[in-house]
Every structure is written in structure tokens, then in C-alpha cells.
Amino acid sequence: MELAFVTALGVGGATIIGVLIGFLFQKIPHEFNDVILGFAAGIMFAAAVIGLIIPSLEEGNIWVTLAGILAGAVFLNLADYLTPHLHHLTGMDQEAHTGKQSHINKVMLFVLAIAIHNLPEGIAAGVGFGNENIGNAITVAVGIALQNIPEGMVIVSPLILAGVPKLRVFFIASFTGIIEVVGTIIGFGAVSIATAILPFALAFAGGTMVYVVSDEMIPETHSHGYERQATYALILGFMTMLLMDHYIGG
């Protein structure tokens, strides 16, 4: 439990590190943004397959794994669909300019989308520690932490450009990391209580991560004219996780 809790703090803390870096580079060039997000997408995709979906197959059977992957994707799709407009969290409810308020709504939807998928990401890290293969669990957790740093960086710029005060930007962005800590504890606790759900839980967490890569990260990296750079960055991220799994996951 201690290792899982420390890992939870590390996974959530990685987002905060990214936020602090984002304050240093408040206007991140699209090319750099797309490259680091592409690298993060490769890490996340490999972590989902190597650290979650394959162990799910080893623990259960193909149908449980397939059901878990689909359930994870559908869950995140529904959560995204039901996302409310939370622009009041910016402290700018009285903004008189309709156009700017609309922009703030879009920014907050982007931030909330990250927060939504951070919960199952955290659960993924926690579920990994519910399995006896600590190497795989660490691989998944490190992979999630690595992609959280650029994620934290890209949250900062749109909020600041929308006119949100810097202190509130910090708390809003950091909240997405705190959600991951909560998710890790939930995932570890659930699997510790009921090990029978482990194969499904692993696949469910993997499905959410694959969904995020395809639905959010890849489209974002391919929308500014730097598709080739982002693609190679994704491949490099995937290769990085393969190396980590070889030397850490065993």
C-alpha cells in the first residue's frame, strides 16, 4: 500500500511539475506542443497495451479483456459527452464579452476533459499495483507520469490567454493531478478488495487510455501542420516504453 500511495503522489505530482514548467513557457509553440504531446501519446499507448491489456489477458480470458476495453472506452465517451460548462471555476462569471466567455468555456471543457481521463488513468496506476507484477505496475505508473508533464504544460497557456488569474490557473491545473492521486487509491483499493475483478479492471483502465490517445491526443497533434513530427514523437514514446518494460517490467 505504501508503494502505491507514493506512486500516486508521483503520478499526480508530475502534472504539477508540468504546470510549473508551463508558467515558464506560457506561450508554447505549436510545433513543440505537438511533439511533446505526440511523445506522451506514444508512452500512454504503450503503457496501456504492455502494462494493462496484456496482463489482463494473462490473468483472465480474451472475452473479459475485450469487454473491459470496450467498457473503458464507452465510459470515457459518456463522461466526455456529459461534461458541463464549468467556466465559473475560472472566477470570471461576470465577463461581459460573449465571445471571450465562449472561448473560456472551450478552454474549461479542454481542462475538464483532461481531468475526466485523469481519474481512470489514476485507477490504471492503482489497479496495476493490485496485480502481483510490481514491475508492470511501475511501468504503467511511470508512463502515466511522463505523459502528465507535457499535459500539465499545455493546460497553462490557454487559461492564461483566456485572462484567468495565474493563481487560479495553478489551482485549476493542479486539480487535474490531484484527481489522479484519488484514482490511484481507488484502483488499488478496489482490486485489493476483490481480486476477481482484476482482469476486467486492467482492461477497463487500458481501454480508457487507448480512447484518450485516439480521441484527444492524436487529433490535437495533427491539427497544426506538424503531423510528421508528432508521428515520429509518438513512435519514439512507444519505443521508450518498450525499453522501460524490458529493463523495469521484466
Side-chain angles (χ1 to χ4, degrees), residues 162-184:
V164 181
K166 289 185 178 180
L167 184 60
R168 192 172 288 265
V169 169
F170 176 78
F171 284 116
I172 290 173
S174 298
F175 178 71
T176 65
I178 294 172
I179 287 178
E180 220 151 16
V181 175
V182 174
T184 302

Side-chain angles (χ1 to χ4, degrees), residues 44 48 52 68-69 71-73 75-76 117 119-121 124 203-213:
M44 195 169 173
L52 295 168
I69 293 172
F75 166 78
L76 212 55
H117 88 248
L119 180 62
E121 270 185 25
F204 180 93
T208 62
M209 293 174 71
V210 171
Y211 180 91
V212 167
V213 170

